[in-house]
Amino acid sequence: MLNILKNRFEQGCRTSPYPKTPVQLPPRYRGRPEINPNAPVDLARRCAAACPQDAIDAENKTIDMGRCVFCGTCQRISDGQFVTFTQDFALSVSEKKHLITRGTLPDLARHARQHFKKLFGRSLQLRQVSAAGCNACEADLNVLATPFFDLARFGINFVASPRHADGIVVTGPVSRNMKTALFQTYEATPEPRVVIAVGSCALSGGPFRGSPEITEGLDKLLPVDLYIPGCPPHPMTNLHALLTFFK
Amino acid sequence: MTTDFKPISNGAAIALADVPHFSLDNFACRALHLVSNGGKVVQFFAYPHGDRLRFLAVLRTDTLLTATCDAPDTYPAMTATCENFHLFEREIAEQTGIIPRGHPWLKMVRYHANARGVADVFGNDYQEDIPGKYDYYAVSGDEIHEVAVGPVHAGVIEPGHFRFNCIGERVLNLEIQLGYQHRGVEPLLLQAAPNRRPFIAESIAGDTAVANSLCLAQAIEALSGMPVDAGAKIIRTIGLELERIANHVGDLGALSNDVAFLAPANYCGRMRGDFLNMSLLLCGNRFGKGLVRPGGVRFCLTDDIRNTLVQRIAELKPQVSHVIDLIFSTSSVRSRFEGCGRVSRSDAEKLGLVGPAGRACGLPYDARRCFPTEHYGNLDIPENAEATGDVYARAKVRADETMQSIRLIESLLRHPVETHCVDGENLPLTPDSLVVTINEAWRGELSHCILTDETGRILHYKVKDPSFHNWNGLSMALRNTGISDFPLNNKSFNLSYCGFDL
């Protein structure tokens, strides 16, 4: 008993004051990309050629956050002259076209479907479907339940059955072998239901792009309401998306 | 004349012409002899040679040994003599359509059509997309019942199907069918441009991102003669150990959670995050993605970051140690851990269990000590073998390794580390060569194998996750165990679905 109390005291209170107080991520974290529209086009082309994810459109000078895995290669090549990754973890968008960006994202709160806020603003139960990613997205969704993020204090929970859920959170590039299970889980979720795509794989196929075994984007299979980019998205990105979109 | 399997070094390329080539009978006879006498299978696969296929095996005793033979359309299964080959032969059958005659349990591994376009060994129609469509092993009798779980599980967990045959609460047999996450990683690694390869490798299993990118990087370095400086080796070692600590600490919390001791579960969840945040500090990604690249690392360890890491570890080390002590000194935890899900040493030998799961059964093999890469040759890695093979032993090994890894990182952070950062230069690869890389990932022996053709292109890429060996260990652990102890056993192994499914 004494040992339990001693540990409790040593551990202290760890819950993040976010969203009341802003959170600062470390300097090497690569968040929302910003494009310099005045960069020379051949520099943009060099970045596009080096991008492992084919995420850069050099002619239009945009970056596709759905494909991007936030490796920072383009920033390094252009020495920050074309792309810089900021420490801003607010990356999520409600329409796929907004993933292709120069760095300014639409205000997610205003783009949220108002009836979702009304329905789910005080209580949101989500069912997670892991569909062939690498388990990093799942791991960083799971940490939302740890004391630091403590998702439950916002009335948001991950539940065990789609029957108890208001929506599904899908990670991974939806392999051929997971399609049926995904559709069945979706069908089992009562309407109105939300579909949230988390991570580069669910948004575009991610690093597995080009494999015949996977789907290049969840939106090809289901109507997606919220897109959360990252490889994997930082837990703060997930938390920001859920709070802004539904609260 | 070569008469036996050829010794090779971990992470050193050799010419394919120097790999001994046997007749199938001689190959099988020698391989079975080695493995029957305590050797283990590291890799066993079929690769294209002209318009034919060849088998290549990499075995380990106290050295790594390799040889090839021509692959026939059908051959007598080696599994019939030696269980170590079991999944490897099934994998070959699935990937190439080669039938191992007399294989005791020939069923699909990942549920996909073979690459050669020949008749499917299992008679599956891959237009239907349910890997679970298969007659599971069944037990009959009056009080026998079956429990089917998955592919979609009740938590935020990867997909896989578990089929329990039970009598009352007692599990007679657990059959595990995976393949739901099959993404075609190996063929993709062949086709993808060289600059994509590290990203694919890092996404084979995100919780093993550093180990996978390390295996890829070492293989490419060996094939292209790319040097790696001493500083980069230290940073990679730190990255791999941070990955180990984060996963072990997280799982100790999950184990605690599964025996309803919630306080340490929460503490461990938070502390795991603190270790992930150290990787974030080092390379901008919590899972260490983007840290390791062929030729070195993409991020240096500045003195600022080094000092911050030292401070954070100084703060966390006593906390981790105290929470581990709390878990293991609580009698209600001990009573659930001890004797639960026991795997005997002889079963572990036959299945070829690796990593903490193997060490918990008394198999001390640790690639960091036996086939050291990076900075491990300079470090002292203890043996960590436990005898009991139960949940307690698996938890204990992981707790001990957590503290050892913290001390390793402490010692590596003591001095400034200098390195020249790289960003995945693409040098030509030596033609007609073979390289095998092995690293001790947190779940155990992870191995990548690359063969190049006469033009220096990658001819074959083979990945073997430690879970490939260990899933059957979980099945064995469940025999005669209460079904309610499944979550506890599952967590004590915490195997990778996506690493297995590829």
Side-chain angles (χ1 to χ4, degrees):
Chain A
M1 192 63 207
L2 205 61
N3 201 355
I4 296 176
L5 291 173
K6 227 167 64 191
N7 270 283
R8 179 71 196 85
F9 190 70
E10 185 178 42
Q11 291 286 331
C13 176
R14 298 286 178 169
T15 305
S16 162
Y18 181 85
K20 284 192 185 120
T21 319
V23 167
Q24 180 67 40
L25 294 178
R28 285 182 181 176
Y29 165 75
R30 294 172 295 280
R32 182 175 51 79
E34 274 179 359
I35 299 253
N36 170 15
N38 301 320
V41 73
D42 53 318
L43 182 65
R45 284 186 190 138
R46 268 201 295 137
C47 290
C51 176
Q53 290 298 106
D54 212 1
I56 293 171
D57 180 341
E59 310 311 317
N60 293 315
K61 291 187 181 158
T62 56
I63 186 165
D64 182 347
M65 290 200 307
R67 287 189 169 188
C68 181
V69 291
F70 298 81
C71 67
T73 300
C74 50
Q75 175 170 336
R76 198 174 281 218
I77 283 180
S78 67
D79 200 18
Q81 297 302 304
F82 177 53
V83 185
T84 45
F85 287 89
T86 65
Q87 265 70 60
D88 182 4
F89 53 78
L91 300 173
S92 307
V93 297
S94 60
E95 286 178 58
K96 192 165 192 192
K97 63 179 186 208
H98 293 144
L99 288 168
I100 298 170
T101 181
R102 287 183 178 167
T104 320
L105 301 177
D107 180 13
L108 184 62
R110 283 203 300 116
H111 274 75
R113 290 165 186 68
Q114 292 310 312
H115 69 285
F116 280 165
K117 280 186 190 278
K118 204 168 149 195
L119 280 167
F120 306 130
R122 288 165 62 81
S123 159
L124 176 66
Q125 313 298 315
L126 295 167
R127 174 67 255 225
Q128 206 270 325
V129 184
S130 165
C134 73
N135 198 29
C137 288
E138 289 84 340
D140 263 354
L141 284 169
N142 250 332
V143 298
L144 295 177
T146 60
F148 182 81
F149 300 100
D150 193 13
L151 190 64
R153 73 195 146 120
F154 303 107
I156 306 174
N157 290 296
F158 285 97
V159 294
S161 167
R163 297 280 191 223
H164 305 159
D166 303 311
I168 56 172
V169 178
V170 182
T171 52
V174 195
S175 58
R176 200 170 42 78
N177 290 347
M178 264 311 282
K179 264 189 202 166
T180 303
L182 171 68
F183 286 139
Q184 286 178 350
T185 310
Y186 176 73
E187 291 301 332
T189 310
E191 292 188 79
R193 58 197 159 204
V194 187
V195 177
I196 305 172
V198 173
S200 169
C201 287
L203 267 50
S204 69
F208 305 107
R209 213 163 31 84
S211 169
E213 297 284 338
I214 60 117
T215 313
E216 295 184 344
L218 177 66
D219 62 307
K220 293 196 166 70
L221 303 174
L222 295 175
V224 177
D225 299 297
L226 179 58
Y227 298 86
I228 309 184
C231 187
H234 191 279
M236 289 308 300
T237 305
N238 290 323
L239 188 59
H240 166 268
L242 293 176
L243 296 184
T244 317
F245 194 68
F246 293 106
K247 286 279 153 185
Chain B
M1 196 182 93
T2 319
T3 54
D4 219 335
F5 272 57
K6 185 183 172 65
I8 55 170
S9 302
N10 183 14
I14 66 161
L16 272 171
D18 291 340
V19 178
H21 183 70
F22 296 125
S23 70
L24 174 72
D25 287 349
N26 280 334
F27 175 86
C29 173
R30 287 176 165 88
L32 287 171
H33 177 76
L34 280 164
V35 179
S36 303
N37 288 289
K40 295 282 177 293
V41 185
V42 177
Q43 298 265 15
F44 178 41
F45 56 81
Y47 70 94
H49 180 81
D51 51 1
R52 302 278 304 158
L53 290 174
R54 280 185 171 189
F55 283 153
L56 187 147
V58 180
L59 311 176
R60 67 173 159 89
T61 52
D62 50 354
T63 56
L64 292 173
L65 300 161
T66 188
T68 61
C69 72
D70 288 327
D73 289 336
T74 165
Y75 69 103
M78 300 207 260
T79 310
T81 321
C82 210
E83 294 88 341
N84 250 260
F85 290 93
H86 159 224
L87 259 168
F88 291 99
E89 290 196 312
R90 276 170 51 186
E91 185 185 47
I92 290 172
E94 183 167 75
Q95 292 184 342
T96 65
I98 297 174
I99 301 170
R101 278 193 317 276
H103 190 290
W105 204 16
L106 192 60
K107 66 165 202 163
M108 68 266 187
V109 181
R110 304 184 179 104
Y111 200 84
H112 63 81
N114 64 56
R116 284 204 301 160
V118 297
D120 185 60
V121 173
F122 318 100
N124 284 331
D125 173 11
Y126 295 101
Q127 299 305 311
E128 297 182 46
D129 49 13
I130 307 173
K133 197 161 190 169
Y134 147 80
D135 289 328
Y136 284 88
Y137 180 79
V139 179
S140 56
D142 274 353
E143 289 171 44
I144 300 292
H145 66 101
E146 280 192 13
V147 179
V149 183
V152 180
H153 297 278
V156 184
I157 315 170
E158 296 177 77
H161 185 84
F162 300 99
R163 185 68 64 97
F164 299 88
N165 282 288
C166 304
I167 181 159
E169 292 281 292
R170 193 156 55 93
V171 177
L172 295 174
N173 185 58
L174 160 62
E175 185 173 352
I176 301 167
Q177 179 59 47
L178 303 178
Y180 294 89
Q181 311 242 70
H182 180 61
R183 297 147 291 173
V185 165
E186 289 172 347
L188 191 61
L189 279 165
L190 287 186
Q191 298 154 12
N195 68 336
R196 282 187 63 194
R197 283 185 210 132
F199 295 88
I200 298 166
E202 283 171 340
S203 299
I204 291 171
D207 53 20
T208 315
V210 177
N212 270 302
S213 60
L214 206 48
C215 277
L216 168 79
Q218 290 165 353
I220 298 292
E221 284 152 11
L223 287 169
S224 61
M226 222 185 271
V228 180
D229 63 42
K233 289 184 179 175
I234 292 177
I235 296 172
R236 289 168 167 200
T237 306
I238 292 172
L240 189 57
E241 293 305 314
L242 280 175
E243 183 169 273
R244 188 182 325 280
I245 298 170
N247 283 295
H248 282 348
V249 168
D251 283 346
L252 288 168
L255 281 165
S256 193
N257 191 54
D258 281 342
V259 296
F261 193 21
L262 300 184
N266 282 308
Y267 304 155
C268 286
R270 191 274 300 176
M271 294 190 298
R272 169 178 171 276
D274 286 350
F275 285 105
L276 293 177
N277 286 339
M278 290 189 206
S279 295
L280 180 70
L281 186 73
L282 184 58
C283 71
N285 185 291
R286 281 158 55 90
F287 297 85
K289 288 187 175 186
L291 175 64
V292 180
R293 284 295 176 272
V297 288
R298 285 176 74 223
F299 297 92
C300 57
L301 183 63
T302 62
D303 280 345
D304 264 0
I305 290 183
R306 192 166 62 87
N307 291 330
T308 313
L309 288 177
V310 168
Q311 278 168 19
R312 290 196 192 173
I313 286 184
E315 192 193 323
L316 272 166
K317 190 180 169 189
Q319 294 177 8
V320 175
S321 158
H322 295 158
V323 172
I324 287 175
D325 177 57
L326 174 62
I327 294 173
F328 284 89
S329 63
T330 302
S331 52
S332 59
V333 171
R334 292 287 289 257
S335 77
R336 287 289 308 278
F337 281 15
E338 285 176 5
C340 181
R342 186 166 288 180
V343 181
S344 69
R345 185 183 167 134
S346 83
D347 284 344
E349 286 268 11
K350 286 178 189 163
L351 293 169
L353 297 193
V354 293
R359 292 193 278 279
C361 303
L363 309 179
Y365 173 62
D366 185 327
R368 293 177 294 172
R369 207 182 57 252
C370 301
F371 305 112
T373 58
E374 304 305 323
H375 198 64
Y376 288 109
N378 308 313
L379 301 172
D380 184 27
I381 311 287
E383 281 209 350
N384 294 321
E386 290 280 322
T388 48
D390 50 5
V391 170
Y392 173 81
R394 289 186 284 274
K396 185 71 170 52
V397 168
R398 300 177 77 178
D400 290 347
E401 286 182 8
T402 303
M403 295 314 295
Q404 288 156 9
S405 294
I406 291 177
R407 286 192 288 273
L408 288 183
I409 293 181
E410 271 182 330
S411 74
L412 294 174
L413 290 173
R414 216 158 277 152
H415 307 288
V417 180
E418 278 182 31
T419 183
H420 179 72
C421 292
V422 297
D423 204 349
E425 286 77 1
N426 295 313
L427 298 180
L429 308 181
T430 318
D432 285 321
S433 299
L434 158 74
V435 63
V436 180
T437 55
I438 291 177
N439 283 288
E440 185 74 10
W442 64 276
R443 288 189 184 93
E445 175 194 88
L446 175 72
S447 173
H448 288 207
C449 184
I450 299 182
L451 283 81
T452 53
D453 66 10
E454 67 279 4
T455 63
R457 285 169 56 99
I458 296 183
L459 173 71
H460 198 70
Y461 200 116
K462 194 79 201 71
V463 177
K464 188 214 62 190
D465 190 272
S467 304
F468 196 69
H469 296 284
N470 287 358
W471 274 110
N472 281 312
L474 176 60
S475 274
M476 288 309 292
L478 258 284
R479 291 230 166 137
N480 286 315
T481 299
I483 191 168
S484 54
D485 277 334
F486 172 69
L488 185 61
N489 276 284
N490 191 23
K491 266 289 171 276
S492 73
F493 283 89
N494 193 9
L495 300 172
S496 179
Y497 300 69
C498 55
F500 179 97
D501 287 346
L502 295 176

